[in-house]
Amino acid sequence: GNDPDLHMFGDQTGRNITYTSAVSPGDMVQFRMLYDTGDGCCGPNDISGWYLDNITISEENPQYVVSLDENGEATITVDDIDGGSTDNCGIASITLSQTEFTCINIVSNTVIMTVTDVNGNVSTCITNVIIVDDLAPEAMCVGSIDLELDAQGNATITVADVDAGSTDNCEIVSTSIDQSFFDCGNLGANTVTLTATDGSSNTATCDAVVTVEDNIDPTVTCQNISVNLDGSGNASIVSGDVVTASG
């Protein structure tokens, strides 16, 4: 009887044949065709016309990790994914469903590798391409800040005062500074650290010098006093006799 996996056509036109049995990487996929020499299907003279063709997909990398570059881009090639696909007659082409990646592809991406042999037989396998961003942001700080205390002896700064345009190959999701409030106890130079964090939790820091100044003159309130001379014609006073308030 006829082989259930035998595909028969009434002409010699090229055909695409789908193998319906389940296959996995490493399985031998066999397509069989018979050329009829004219004495009817499956005659004894046709046996020499058996043509066996198969594709073997080797066990591919279950996942392939790619790091984005400084522009937030990454490229893969067939050589990165192919684990050694073979064919008994010859492979005509190997293609990937996706080769270009950017920051929006961070984490797992399903890439299908398609192998086509010289007779048009096709087999595919899947690799998970893991896109990672392992580049830290470039934190940029102003060199210095002159900060004047207010009438209450206080002053504050924000991230915007320190950040001079920090960048990342993907995106900075947060920036912070380790000190924003200053008072009379901070007079002089203070080192403030800016921390920039991107979407992959990579961080970078830079420092700025915040010079705190007190440029407000004191406020003094005085009072008039009367002083009696002693027996020697002398008298003395202290600041507290005249000054009632200062700040």
Side-chain angles (χ1 to χ4, degrees), residues 55-140:
I55 295 176
T56 299
I57 298 294
S58 64
E59 185 68 41
E60 80 285 358
N61 297 325
Q63 68 178 31
Y64 183 71
V65 180
V66 186
S67 295
L68 295 172
D69 62 18
E70 63 275 8
N71 298 314
E73 300 173 343
T75 302
I76 62 172
T77 66
V78 167
D79 290 339
D80 297 322
I81 304 302
D82 186 17
S85 303
T86 62
D87 181 70
N88 66 329
C89 291
I91 292 176
S93 67
I94 303 178
T95 60
L96 302 178
S97 60
Q98 183 176 0
T99 59
E100 303 291 333
F101 302 87
T102 65
C103 297
I104 64 173
N105 302 116
I106 286 176
V107 191
S108 181
N109 303 267
T110 298
V111 174
I112 300 172
M113 185 177 76
T114 300
V115 181
T116 305
D117 73 5
V118 294
N119 295 295
N121 302 307
V122 175
S123 205
T124 63
C125 62
I126 293 175
T127 296
N128 291 321
V129 176
I130 310 299
I131 301 299
V132 298
D133 172 22
D134 48 20
L135 293 180
E138 183 179 1
M140 300 178 65

Side-chain angles (χ1 to χ4, degrees), residues 8-48:
M8 294 178 292
F9 304 101
D11 56 42
Q12 299 182 37
T13 304
R15 304 284 181 142
N16 290 325
I17 301 174
T18 301
Y19 190 78
T20 58
S21 300
V23 294
S24 301
D27 290 349
M28 182 73 72
V29 181
Q30 189 174 69
F31 297 89
R32 294 186 283 180
M33 293 174 285
L34 179 64
Y35 177 69
D36 183 359
T37 57
D39 59 353
C41 174
C42 308
N45 294 329
D46 295 336
I47 299 302
S48 61

Side-chain angles (χ1 to χ4, degrees), residues 223-242:
Q223 65 180 356
N224 297 322
I225 64 173
S226 297
V227 179
N228 295 321
L229 297 176
D230 61 17
S232 301
N234 299 316
S236 63
I237 63 173
V238 296
S239 61
D241 297 328
V242 178

